[in-house]
Amino acid sequence: MARSLCPGARLRKPCCLQCDKYKTGVIDGPACNSLCVTETLYFGKCLSTKPSNQMYLGIWDNLPGVVKCQMEQKLHLDFGTELEPRKEIVLFDKPTRGTTVQKFKEMVYSLFKAKLGDQGNLSELVNLILTVADGDKDGQVSLGEAKSAWALLQLNEFLLMVILQDKEHTPKLMGFCGDLYVTESVEYTSLYGLSLPWVIELFIPSGFRRSMDQLFTPSWPRKAKIAIGLLEFVEDVFHGPYGNFLMCDTSARTLGYNSRYDLKMLDMRKIVPETNLKELIKDRHCESDLDCVYGTDCRTSCDQSTMRCTSEVIQPNLAKACQLLKDYLLRGAPSEIREELEKQLYSCIALKVTAHQMEMEHSLILNNLKTLLWKKISYTNDS
């Protein structure tokens, strides 16, 4: 029997573990009171694409949002296997009572160094995290707030959301309680207008699915604006202030957009720090390149002489984004730019991380694509 996509939906509060911990003083956060006491945080439509990913449309104090909660153990990079069942004893065990703010800052710094590498400005990021952790804005981080923040920092999506909090295409963080967090609402929750449960997706041939997708898309100028947003997001995660992040699932279901057709990332769980991924995948035993994949899109190669995975990801983020956008943009493209657009998209898809002067080529292709699209829609109402 297939597992429910939202097993928690049977419950009055799908993420009820948070309330048990909140009421016993273990965790705290700005969403806890609304979730557990006043009950003004409501769970609506299930957006989960897999049972391990709990995501809902919700309303918090009359504001629409997206609610995410961890029904699974904290995210770690295990290749090709399901995450282990959640172990709540592990999840909220740090920091311990008696931990000073300085000690907590050192814990966070060490975590960031392991995830992001030895960046020179990690101390600034630590201070930013403490500001976020202070949910009630009283100038102090309580033990409950620190436990919530520590649990959330194990999740790459939450870390990236904090790092990119001022960027247009990253949903704004509204609040949290334990490892549950609420982000701003995203009106359209797929790049295409048709979203199907993963169980049904399994039985639909990929070619037929692509044909279905193309029938449920906005007008071409609006698609162009959404595409520009994705290209801008690629810029945001490419050598940002705290290193490079790799997009390891560039599928349509991870992207959304608002009523103004501004792209909003809906699911960033498979966007991971490059340093972190390289450290975990290098020297992994392999028989072929198929053993050296994380998510669906982060691939390295298998060194047949040592039977170990190499650490260099083959395809850059931009190439994967262009692969996703190719059919999306070419269908219905104005005839006067179609040939040039197709040429640029294929040049983009051909990008390799190992190519000579890849960064210069990356910037040139990205800017050319954005310019071509903007010039075509800049005088329309969709710009």
Side-chain angles (χ1 to χ4, degrees), residues 57-66 174 182-187:
L57 289 179
I59 298 176
W60 181 15
D61 292 341
N62 296 320
L63 292 175
V66 176
M174 295 170 63
V182 187
T183 68
E184 69 173 307
S185 176
V186 179
E187 288 93 330

Side-chain angles (χ1 to χ4, degrees), residues 330-348:
L330 289 179
R331 182 180 176 88
S335 57
E336 60 270 25
I337 69 162
R338 182 184 169 87
E339 184 177 347
E340 178 62 22
L341 178 60
E342 187 172 19
K343 176 184 172 184
Q344 289 195 24
L345 284 169
Y346 276 106
S347 295
C348 177

Side-chain angles (χ1 to χ4, degrees), residues 68 157 161 168-171 183 186 229-230 233 247 249 254-257 262-268 271:
K68 301 184 180 185
E157 178 175 63
M161 196 175 295
E168 178 184 0
H169 306 296
T170 305
T183 68
V186 179
L230 179 57
F233 181 78
M247 299 170 66
D249 182 358
T254 65
L255 313 176
Y257 54 93
D262 299 316
L263 178 103
K264 294 290 182 180
M265 297 302 297
L266 185 66
D267 187 348
M268 301 191 296
I271 302 178

Side-chain angles (χ1 to χ4, degrees), residues 4 59 72 133 142 152 193 220 228 317 319 332 376:
S4 168
I59 298 176
E72 305 287 333
S142 68
L152 287 166
W220 191 86
I228 290 169
N317 293 334
K376 192 59 191 171

Side-chain angles (χ1 to χ4, degrees), residues 185-343:
S185 176
V186 179
E187 288 93 330
Y188 299 93
T189 55
S190 175
L191 191 60
Y192 298 100
L194 186 64
S195 180
L196 298 174
W198 70 282
V199 176
I200 297 176
E201 294 270 17
L202 292 175
F203 299 99
I204 298 179
S206 58
F208 182 62
R209 172 69 215 214
R210 284 195 296 272
S211 298
M212 289 173 57
D213 283 339
Q214 299 302 336
L215 296 174
F216 294 89
T217 58
S219 64
W220 191 86
R222 289 170 173 173
K223 288 194 293 185
K225 187 178 182 184
I226 294 166
I228 290 169
L230 179 57
L231 296 174
E232 289 174 344
F233 181 78
V234 169
E235 286 184 289
D236 292 341
V237 298
F238 182 67
H239 294 318
Y242 302 103
N244 191 21
F245 282 73
L246 299 175
M247 299 170 66
C248 296
D249 182 358
T250 46
S251 58
R253 65 177 177 271
T254 65
L255 313 176
Y257 54 93
N258 61 22
S259 58
R260 298 184 302 277
Y261 299 92
D262 299 316
L263 178 103
K264 294 290 182 180
M265 297 302 297
L266 185 66
D267 187 348
M268 301 191 296
R269 291 175 306 125
K270 290 292 174 67
I271 302 178
V272 299
E274 182 177 32
T275 300
N276 200 195
L277 181 63
K278 283 185 172 183
E279 189 63 32
L280 287 163
I281 200 171
K282 73 175 184 180
D283 298 329
R284 177 180 171 82
H285 176 75
C286 59
E287 300 292 335
S288 71
D289 291 351
L290 295 176
D291 297 319
C292 302
V293 182
Y294 174 67
T296 56
D297 296 323
C298 285
R299 303 171 184 273
T300 73
S301 56
C302 180
D303 185 338
Q304 292 296 318
S305 64
T306 61
M307 306 303 286
R308 300 287 177 184
C309 294
T310 60
S311 62
E312 201 67 53
V313 173
I314 296 169
Q315 199 176 29
N317 293 334
L318 181 58
K320 291 177 281 192
C322 287
Q323 181 69 58
L324 175 64
L325 292 174
K326 178 172 69 68
D327 292 341
Y328 191 69
L329 283 176
L330 289 179
R331 182 180 176 88
S335 57
E336 60 270 25
I337 69 162
R338 182 184 169 87
E339 184 177 347
E340 178 62 22
L341 178 60
E342 187 172 19
K343 176 184 172 184

